[in-house]
Amino acid sequence: RLVCSRLMFATRRKSDVSSKDGLGRVYILEIRLNNNEVIHKIGMCKAPRSTDRMMEILRSWFMQYRYVPNTRCRLDYETGVPLLLEKHLHQLLSEWKWVPDKKVDGGQEMFKDIDVEEVIRYVKDFDYSLLLNGVNAISTDDLDYIRSKIPAEEFDLDEDIPF
């Protein structure tokens, strides 16, 4: 058994493996700590399932705290612009950022006291064109995905993007 568990943890991180179609996932994990405090981890991955990433985070948590918190995946959302959406959510929720006292995988992307149902609703109804009004540069893949979602007559992308 020990050999098997070492092999499992010695292999490459599954969330580093890209999905076949190039899409990624934005996920929200609900983590209940021993003191019944509830925090939410909002992240992205390129794996075909966000549960692979969840298991990496829980392993990291166990290595630091020697227990695994009760965790469930509240959102596993496939999108063409996962990094762009994740960064946007982190900016929106920065006021509620929570950082554990020990270094854990994904520890800089956790939030406390958020209305997770409202965040999930926001992600599902998200209008990608809103991000085009910002000054942050986006990748070509993100731009191509956004262009495919917005009718050309509605939005002249070449004039509105600051790069």
Side-chain angles (χ1 to χ4, degrees), residues 17-82:
V17 179
S18 294
S19 58
K20 291 178 184 174
D21 53 10
L23 296 176
R25 310 195 84 69
V26 171
Y27 60 85
I28 300 176
L29 303 179
E30 183 176 276
I31 304 170
R32 186 172 300 276
L33 305 178
N34 275 351
N35 61 4
N36 281 333
E37 198 171 24
V38 176
I39 58 172
H40 292 90
K41 159 76 167 92
I42 299 174
M44 61 81 59
C45 64
K46 291 283 189 173
R49 296 178 314 271
S50 60
T51 52
D52 295 340
R53 180 69 180 124
M54 180 176 83
M55 297 309 291
E56 293 168 2
I57 293 165
L58 293 177
R59 178 186 180 275
S60 171
W61 194 277
F62 177 78
M63 297 304 287
Q64 289 296 329
Y65 290 97
R66 306 314 287 176
Y67 83 96
V68 177
N70 183 358
T71 304
R72 68 180 177 141
C73 186
R74 295 294 309 266
L75 178 71
D76 182 12
Y77 184 75
E78 187 174 58
T79 177
V81 289

Side-chain angles (χ1 to χ4, degrees), residues 21-23 79-82 84 128-129 132 137-152 155 157-158 161 163:
D21 53 10
L23 296 176
T79 177
V81 289
L84 188 65
Y128 296 103
S129 67
L132 295 176
I138 61 175
S139 75
T140 305
D141 291 341
D142 290 340
L143 180 58
D144 291 341
Y145 180 78
I146 293 169
R147 281 184 179 175
S148 73
K149 296 295 180 186
I150 302 171
F155 209 87
L157 293 172
D158 293 330
I161 298 175
F163 59 87

Side-chain angles (χ1 to χ4, degrees), residues 28 74-75 77 89 115-127:
I28 300 176
R74 295 294 309 266
L75 178 71
Y77 184 75
L89 291 172
D115 182 350
V116 72
E117 295 299 329
E118 187 63 31
V119 175
I120 291 170
R121 203 170 12 264
Y122 180 83
V123 169
K124 289 181 176 179
D125 296 337
F126 187 67
D127 178 6

